[in-house]
Amino acid sequence: MTLDELREKVKNCKNCPLCDTRINAVFGSGNEHAEIMFVGEAPGRNEDETGEPFVGAAGRMLNDFLTASGLSREEVFIGNIVKCRPPQNRDPLPAEEERCIGYLLEQIRIIDPKIIVCLGRIAAKQLIDRDFQVTKQHGEVFRRNGRLIMATFHPAALLRNPAYKPATMDDFCLLYDIAYNRHFEVDIP
Ligand code: URA
């Protein structure tokens, strides 16, 4: 399947009740051949309205970190665990994640990034470890299904807790180094 075929499937998806309340399914956007793929949680109000990921205040925070670490939105791919907005921005339900995760796994297979970056707890628990703790394990690089994967703070968490910003910057610098082969000494379990 191509990414455009998958995009069409997601646009018309009725796998879970979130399809009844969404305005737009948010497929994700960016470079289809990205070395770096960011994975957030689920669309919020702005994303639901525009169909684009991370376009609200959290998105502006993400943009700032991309720019500061020498990256651009155009060169990375940004997606989410769940493609449709949960009402009132609640956490996605386990059943919603289960119904949706296949789309993300297919996106990863097609894009074939060198490294995946989980933005926050929901993505890290789903993709790295059920017991993942972002405050303790952010910036650690793991291997899952033969692919590098790490997590950092969710941009919305940085809006609430600016004290996490320096650690997030360190994570982005590490990410850049790994994605573009500037880092030679990571110890990857
Ligand atoms: N938060 C997310 O996790 N994803 C988005 O796309 C927007 C906000």
Side-chain angles (χ1 to χ4, degrees):
M1 196 186 313
T2 67
L3 208 58
D4 282 340
E5 286 165 351
L6 187 61
R7 192 189 312 274
E8 206 53 30
K9 275 187 123 179
V10 169
K11 192 174 147 195
N12 299 313
C13 179
K14 294 199 173 6
N15 282 353
C16 86
L18 294 181
C19 68
D20 295 329
T21 48
R22 75 175 175 226
I23 300 171
N24 288 294
V26 179
F27 181 71
S29 68
N31 183 349
E32 301 191 1
H33 306 286
E35 298 285 18
I36 302 173
M37 183 163 172
F38 288 92
V39 180
E41 177 180 326
R45 180 193 296 276
N46 294 289
E47 292 75 22
D48 185 39
E49 285 172 2
T50 59
E52 292 294 319
F54 283 97
V55 289
R60 288 191 288 280
M61 178 69 77
L62 177 59
N63 290 348
D64 287 348
F65 276 88
L66 289 172
T67 306
S69 56
L71 296 165
S72 68
R73 275 183 87 113
E74 292 70 37
E75 78 188 282
V76 303
F77 192 90
I78 303 174
N80 282 304
I81 295 283
V82 166
K83 309 299 191 220
C84 298
R85 183 190 182 204
Q88 279 82 47
N89 293 355
R90 63 160 168 73
D91 285 354
L93 302 174
E96 292 160 354
E97 289 188 30
E98 288 315 311
R99 292 280 174 90
C100 215
I101 193 69
Y103 293 131
L104 179 69
L105 298 180
E106 189 62 11
Q107 286 175 309
I108 293 170
R109 192 190 65 75
I110 296 168
I111 295 167
D112 194 20
K114 181 161 181 188
I115 183 163
I116 296 169
V117 186
C118 300
L119 296 171
R121 174 178 58 94
I122 301 272
K125 280 179 176 283
Q126 181 64 244
L127 296 178
I128 302 177
D129 184 347
R130 278 279 147 215
D131 298 320
F132 197 90
Q133 288 186 284
V134 178
T135 44
K136 289 196 186 139
Q137 294 174 287
H138 71 89
E140 281 182 43
V141 182
F142 302 85
R143 202 181 283 279
R144 291 288 178 275
N145 302 318
R147 202 179 295 279
L148 300 182
I149 182 161
M150 65 184 279
T152 191
F153 293 92
H154 193 288
L158 301 177
L159 292 168
R160 293 190 299 271
N161 267 311
Y164 292 142
K165 285 185 183 183
T168 304
M169 195 61 233
D170 289 347
D171 294 345
F172 271 75
C173 290
L174 173 66
L175 166 67
Y176 184 99
D177 288 349
I178 293 173
Y180 296 118
N181 291 322
R182 308 259 165 95
H183 199 89
F184 302 101
E185 288 173 30
V186 274
D187 185 16
I188 299 161

